[in-house]
């Protein structure tokens, strides 16, 4: 019988945390007949040998990338391997409580939601720099894709498996996966909810998140915004350039010195940005129509 829920756990060099995490997760999953998929993302430590020790457990499936492909790539591998109706992602560092998994599983069924994000903000953060980075990412994401989700990059998310698999190709292989998959599903009209969860500090090992992660995430969010809703990017830039052109040119006209070259460049640049945005918007609309047609069977 197919499990009703699959726990996907991406692991990269987590030899210190897995020995404490896996027995607890597997015992919890076995009682509920859930499946656990752990993806070793090309770890260079003892992670593969630790997973081998648990390989005979009936509720565990392990996957291994020969090289380190990224957090998002590991999650994609796990999501594609899942066969259950629902799938949830949790981190390998032991920060997510298993009681939160059950809470989110019950909630996605009772609310008929497509995705639920585990909001860690209530637990607070001890790292001021990381909190600032998350705030910048959330603020930027709201500018390009309207949303109500607060903890955008939470690693604890539950999905309808068949639905999330449709959008994996749009998501990056990097840490930005968590942010982008949320934005994509919101944009596609899926019911995405958020619920508070309690988290613990990292139980062992070191975090893989760096300052560069925030910049990479912002770039990926910009990419997905241009792909899905390009006018939200190009229209403000076009209007800004046109406004600058007018404001720059007015003093020259009032002084009787004709039209400023800088003003004309700004106006032309604004019109080009608007035109590019308009063409991009038409391409995006066409892509959505093709995708919608592809989701229908010939009998429909």
């Amino acid at each position: 019988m197919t499990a009703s829920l699959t726990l996907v756990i991406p692991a990269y060099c987590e030899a210190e945390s897995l020995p404490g995490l896996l027995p607890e997760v597997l015992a919890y999953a076995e009682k509920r007949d859930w499946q656990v998929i752990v993806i070793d993302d090309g770890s260079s430590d003892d992670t593969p040998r630790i997973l081998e020790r648990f390989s005979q457990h009936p509720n565990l499936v392990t996957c291994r990338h020969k090289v380190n492909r990224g957090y998002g790539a590991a999650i994609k591998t796990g999501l594609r391997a899942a066969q259950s109706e629902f799938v949830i992602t949790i981190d390998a560092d032991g920060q997510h409580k298993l009681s939160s998994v059950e809470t989110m599983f019950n909630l996605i069924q009772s609310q008929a939601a497509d995705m639920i994000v585990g909001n860690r903000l209530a637990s607070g953060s001890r790292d001021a720099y990381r909190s600032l980075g998350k705030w910048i990412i959330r603020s930027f994401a709201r500018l390009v894709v309207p949303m109500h989700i607060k903890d955008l990059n939470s690693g604890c998310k539950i999905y309808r498996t068949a639905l999330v698999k449709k959008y994996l190709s749009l998501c990056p292989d990097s840490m930005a996966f968590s942010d982008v998959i949320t934005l994509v599903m919101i944009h596609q009209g899926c019911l995405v909810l958020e619920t508070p969860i309690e988290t613990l500090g990292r139980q062992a090992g070191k975090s893989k998140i760096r300052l560069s992660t925030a910049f990479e995430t912002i770039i990926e969010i910009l990419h997905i915004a241009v792909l899905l809703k390009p006018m939200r990017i190009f229209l403000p830039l076009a209007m800004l350039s046109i406004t600058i052109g007018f404001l720059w040119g007015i003093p020259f006209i009032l002084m009787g010195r004709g039209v400023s070259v800088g003003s004309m460049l700004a106006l032309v640049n604004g019109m080009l940005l608007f035109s590019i945005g308009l063409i991009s918007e038409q391409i995006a609309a066409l892509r959505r129509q093709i995708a919608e047609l592809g989701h229908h069977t010939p009998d429909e």
Side-chain angles (χ1 to χ4, degrees):
M1 187 175 79
T2 304
S4 56
L5 177 67
T6 299
L7 284 75
V8 169
I9 306 175
Y12 174 60
C13 294
E14 292 288 359
E16 294 183 43
S17 60
L18 286 176
L21 174 70
L22 278 181
E24 181 184 2
V25 170
L26 291 173
Y28 200 86
E30 188 174 15
K31 289 180 181 179
R32 293 156 178 80
D33 197 26
W34 294 346
Q35 187 181 51
V36 178
I37 299 177
V38 181
I39 306 90
D40 171 20
D41 189 28
S43 299
S44 56
D45 63 356
D46 286 336
T47 295
R49 286 175 283 280
I50 292 170
L51 291 178
E52 180 64 27
R53 296 201 324 243
F54 294 91
S55 62
Q56 299 304 313
H57 196 286
N59 295 76
L60 177 65
V61 173
T62 60
C63 306
R64 175 168 170 77
H65 293 166
K66 293 181 180 180
V67 297
N68 178 240
R69 291 164 51 188
Y71 173 81
I75 290 184
K76 288 180 186 180
T77 296
L79 293 176
R80 289 186 175 117
Q83 300 298 318
S84 54
E85 182 180 0
F86 300 97
V87 58
I88 189 169
T89 57
I90 64 174
D91 293 343
D93 58 9
Q95 70 164 296
H96 297 127
K97 291 186 176 182
L98 294 175
S99 56
S100 297
V101 171
E102 189 146 24
T103 298
M104 293 174 69
F105 182 44
N106 292 332
L107 187 60
I108 197 171
Q109 295 177 91
S110 64
Q111 297 296 316
D114 299 312
M115 172 185 181
I116 294 180
V117 178
N119 186 332
R120 305 159 298 169
L121 300 182
S123 299
S125 175
R126 300 173 184 175
D127 190 330
Y129 290 104
R130 183 173 294 186
S131 297
L132 176 61
K134 291 178 181 178
W135 179 82
I136 292 173
I137 290 170
R138 287 196 303 272
S139 300
F140 181 75
R142 289 193 182 99
L143 288 176
V144 295
V145 180
M147 61 167 189
H148 57 278
I149 301 299
K150 296 179 180 178
D151 195 1
L152 187 63
N153 56 359
S154 171
C156 186
K157 294 182 172 73
I158 188 168
Y159 315 83
R160 290 189 180 273
T161 308
L163 187 60
V164 72
K165 286 182 179 182
K166 294 179 180 180
Y167 306 124
L168 295 182
S169 61
L170 296 175
C171 300
D173 290 343
S174 65
M175 282 284 186
F177 174 91
S178 293
D179 307 78
V180 172
I181 188 62
T182 308
L183 297 177
V184 168
M185 293 189 70
I186 290 173
H187 180 270
Q188 295 299 113
C190 301
L191 178 57
V192 179
L193 304 177
E194 189 172 34
T195 188
I197 60 171
E198 293 184 31
T199 57
L200 305 169
R202 170 176 274 275
Q203 302 302 292
K206 296 181 179 179
S207 174
K208 312 302 185 300
I209 297 176
R210 301 289 183 267
L211 179 62
S212 60
T213 303
F215 294 104
E216 291 173 1
T217 300
I218 289 175
I219 294 300
E220 292 295 346
I221 291 174
L222 184 59
H223 285 170
I224 202 66
V226 172
L227 177 67
L228 299 177
K229 207 66 177 175
M231 269 309 230
R232 291 192 66 86
I233 301 298
F234 287 103
L235 183 59
L237 292 176
M239 296 305 297
L240 176 63
S241 185
I242 290 171
T243 301
I244 290 173
F246 274 118
L247 294 178
W248 192 338
I250 288 174
F252 289 89
I253 294 174
L254 293 178
M255 289 185 293
R257 296 171 56 184
V259 180
S260 164
V261 174
S263 174
M264 286 302 299
L265 285 174
L267 291 171
V268 170
N269 183 64
M271 294 304 297
L272 286 174
L273 286 171
F274 179 79
S275 299
I276 293 172
L278 193 60
I279 294 171
S280 300
E281 189 72 25
Q282 294 300 315
I283 294 173
L286 182 60
R287 186 188 297 113
R288 288 193 295 269
Q289 290 176 9
I290 293 173
E292 289 173 3
L293 289 174
H295 291 161
H296 294 291
T297 63
D299 293 337
E300 294 177 323

